[in-house]
C-alpha cells in the first residue's frame, strides 16, 4: 500500500535537524504513540507529519506535546485501495 511504498523514503534533512533539535524526536514519538504508521519531517522543516491508517484519538492531545504546538488533522483527498 501507499504507506509501505514510502516507508523506506528518507528526508536527508531529518538526520541533521534531529541532532540539532532533540524536540523533533519528542514529536515523532508522540505521533507514533497515538498510532501513526510513519512520521516524517516535511521538506527542510519545521513541520512534522504522521500518516495514520485510522483517525487518531486526540481526546487527550498528542503525547509529549508542548502547549504552544499546533496540531492539525487532515483527511486524504484520494483514498488508496489495495483491491
Amino acid at each position: 500500500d501507499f504507506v509501505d511504498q514510502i516507508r523506506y523514503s528518507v528526508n536527508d534533512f531529518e538526520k541533521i535537524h534531529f541532532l540539532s533539535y532533540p524536540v523533533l524526536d519528542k514529536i515523532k514519538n508522540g505521533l507514533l504513540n497515538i498510532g501513526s504508521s510513519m512520521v516524517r519531517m516535511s521538506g527542510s522543516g519545521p513541520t512534522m507529519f504522521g500518516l495514520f491508517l485510522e483517525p487518531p484519538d486526540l481526546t487527550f492531545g498528542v503525547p509529549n506535546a508542548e502547549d504552544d504546538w499546533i496540531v492539525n488533522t487532515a483527511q486524504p483527498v484520494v483514498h488508496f485501495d489495495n483491491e
Side-chain angles (χ1 to χ4, degrees):
D1 67 355
F2 177 70
V3 174
D4 285 335
Q5 290 177 11
I6 64 170
R7 184 179 312 258
Y8 301 104
S9 67
V10 295
N11 178 338
D12 292 332
F13 288 109
E14 279 190 22
K15 291 179 185 178
I16 298 165
H17 289 307
F18 272 63
L19 290 173
S20 299
Y21 303 98
V23 70
L24 295 175
D25 199 44
K26 184 177 178 181
I27 296 167
K28 181 176 185 173
N29 288 328
L31 291 171
L32 290 170
N33 285 338
I34 59 170
S36 180
S37 297
M38 64 173 276
V39 178
R40 291 287 188 273
M41 182 176 73
S42 67
S44 58
T47 301
M48 298 287 292
F49 67 92
L51 297 179
F52 295 82
L53 298 177
E54 299 293 329
D57 179 4
L58 296 175
T59 304
F60 300 105
V62 175
N64 304 324
E66 302 287 333
D67 291 338
D68 60 344
W69 293 358
I70 299 171
V71 177
N72 292 305
T73 60
Q75 293 188 359
V77 175
V78 177
H79 179 76
F80 295 93
D81 284 324
N82 290 333
E83 301 173 7

